[in-house]
Amino acid sequence: MSTKVEHPTQNIKKAKLKKLLNNYQLYLFLLPALIYFIVFHYFPMYGVIIAFKNFIATQGIMGSPWVGFKHFERFFESFQFWSLIKNTLGLSVLQLIIGFPLPIILALMMNQIRHEKYKRFVQTVVYAPHFISVVVLAGMIYVFFSNNGLINNFIMMFGGESISFMAKPEWFKPLYIGSGVWQETGWAAIIYLAALAGVSPELHEAAVMDGASKWHRILHVDIPAIMPTAVILLILSVGNIMNIGFEKAYLLQTPLNQPSAEIIPTYVYKMGLQQAQYSFAAAVGLFNAVINLVLLVAVNKFAKKLSGQGLW
C-alpha cells in the first residue's frame, strides 16, 4: 500500500495556515487598520486618472475626455516650474540636514542624564511644543516676528533697526525650519530614546572596565545601537522629501514672501481647490508623488548596500 508523500511547499503552507489560525486574534487587531488604508488610501487611487483627462464635473471621471500628458507638459513649461522645485527642495533638504541629526543628538544627551526628576522635566519641556497645533504655531510666529513683536523689540533695545521678517522672502526658510526644529525635535527623539533603552547595561559596564570614557561609550556603544533606527527613519524622510508640510507653509505665506514661500503642495491647493483646475492639480500632485517614490526606492537600495538596513 503506497503512502502519499507531501511536497515540502505544502508542508510550509500548512504550517503557515496553522500559525495564522492559532494567532487569529492578533490578525483581527490589524483588520481595522487594513480597512482604513484600503478605503481611504488605496481605493481613491483610481481618481489619479484625471491627471490624464480634462476633468469635467458633470461628466464624471470616466466620462471626461482623455488628454494624455497635456497637463504635465503645461506644468513643465510654466514659468513657475523651476521656482517651485527650488523652493520645495530647498526647504526639504535644509529641514532634513538640520532637523534629522538634532533628535539623535538630543536623545544621546538625555540618555546621559542620571537625575530622574531632572530628566523627566527636560523630557516634558522638549516634548511639549509638539502638541501645539500648526495654526497656533503660525500665529505665534506672526506675533513674535511682526514689526512690533518681541524679537524686533529686543533688536531695537540694543540699537538695531526693526526687521520685516514676514515680508522678506529670505527670512521665510529660517522661520519655517527654525519653528519646525523647535516643535518636533523633542518628539522625534522619543524613538531614539526607546532604542537606547534597549542597550544592555553590560555593554557599558564592560566599556567602563576597559577604561572607556563617557564620550567613547556614546561613540562605540550608543550610536551603533541606534544606527539601524536612524537609517530606517532617514529612508522614510528622504522618500517624503517633496511632501513638506502644506499647512505651515500656506499659513506663513504673505504676498511679499511668496517668491520663496510658494512650494508644490501650496501650488496644488491653489490650482486645484481655489481655481478648480482639478486635472492640472492632479498632474502636479502625481509628479510630486512619483519623485518621492523614486527617491524612496533609490535611498533604500543605497542604504541597504551601505549598511545592510532597509525597508525591504
Side-chain angles (χ1 to χ4, degrees):
M1 184 177 179
S2 60
T3 56
K4 186 178 178 181
V5 180
E6 291 187 350
H7 194 273
T9 307
Q10 293 178 331
N11 292 330
I12 293 172
K13 287 181 179 179
K14 284 185 176 181
K16 286 183 177 179
L17 181 61
K18 187 177 180 182
K19 188 176 181 181
L20 177 64
L21 293 173
N22 289 337
N23 300 283
Y24 74 94
Q25 299 98 331
L26 300 177
Y27 291 97
L28 285 176
F29 278 118
L30 292 174
L31 194 58
L34 288 174
I35 293 172
Y36 166 78
F37 277 99
I38 290 170
V39 172
F40 294 103
H41 290 267
Y42 286 94
F43 180 71
M45 281 185 182
Y46 86 97
V48 81
I49 62 175
I50 69 171
F52 305 96
K53 290 191 167 196
N54 183 22
F55 177 69
I56 302 170
T58 55
Q59 297 182 12
I61 293 176
M62 302 311 296
S64 299
W66 291 93
V67 295
F69 291 95
K70 176 184 175 181
H71 301 301
F72 294 92
E73 293 171 0
R74 176 188 164 191
F75 177 56
F76 297 152
E77 293 171 359
S78 69
F79 72 96
Q80 290 178 294
F81 175 74
W82 289 112
S83 174
L84 290 169
I85 296 294
K86 183 184 73 173
N87 290 342
T88 305
L89 282 177
L91 269 180
S92 299
V93 171
L94 279 174
Q95 187 169 262
L96 185 65
I97 292 172
I98 297 171
F100 184 78
L102 287 179
I104 299 175
I105 296 169
L106 178 63
L108 292 170
M109 293 171 63
M110 289 175 63
N111 192 54
Q112 297 300 316
I113 300 176
R114 294 292 172 258
H115 194 283
E116 287 301 320
K117 287 186 178 180
Y118 179 66
K119 185 176 183 178
R120 287 197 294 270
F121 171 76
V122 172
Q123 287 176 333
T124 303
V125 170
V126 298
Y127 294 170
H130 171 78
F131 299 99
I132 299 174
S133 73
V134 177
V135 177
V136 174
L137 178 64
M140 291 169 62
I141 293 172
Y142 274 103
V143 170
F144 288 138
F145 292 92
S146 65
N147 289 338
N148 296 318
L150 182 65
I151 304 301
N152 273 317
N153 285 335
F154 271 113
I155 293 172
M156 290 186 289
M157 188 186 300
F158 292 99
E161 294 183 0
S162 176
I163 301 172
S164 298
F165 290 100
M166 306 308 299
K168 294 187 176 181
E170 62 269 22
W171 278 104
F172 177 79
K173 285 186 177 69
L175 290 176
Y176 186 99
I177 295 168
S179 61
V181 167
W182 173 75
Q183 187 177 27
E184 297 297 338
T185 298
W187 186 257
I190 290 176
I191 193 167
Y192 297 110
L193 284 170
L196 288 169
V199 178
S200 174
E202 295 176 358
L203 292 174
H204 284 285
E205 292 172 3
V208 171
M209 292 290 290
D210 290 339
S213 64
K214 186 172 289 188
W215 167 248
H216 285 101
R217 282 187 281 133
I218 292 173
L219 197 62
H220 298 291
V221 178
D222 290 339
I223 292 180
I226 63 175
M227 194 53 64
T229 304
V231 170
I232 296 298
L233 292 177
L234 179 62
I235 293 171
L236 293 172
S237 298
V238 174
N240 206 37
I241 200 167
M242 297 290 283
N243 282 345
I244 193 164
F246 155 79
E247 295 89 352
K248 188 165 66 172
Y250 184 73
L251 290 168
L252 294 181
Q253 278 185 6
T254 65
L256 295 174
N257 70 11
Q258 197 161 344
S260 180
E262 189 75 286
I263 58 176
I264 290 178
T266 59
Y267 182 71
V268 169
Y269 169 77
K270 291 174 183 177
M271 299 304 293
L273 294 181
Q274 292 185 349
Q275 299 186 26
Q277 299 184 35
Y278 302 115
S279 292
F280 178 68
V284 178
L286 181 58
F287 164 77
N288 199 44
V290 169
I291 296 297
N292 278 331
L293 178 62
V294 171
L295 287 171
L296 178 64
V297 173
V299 173
N300 181 72
K301 190 173 182 180
F302 176 74
K304 206 164 185 180
K305 282 187 176 180
L306 192 67
S307 64
Q309 300 290 330
L311 293 176
W312 62 83

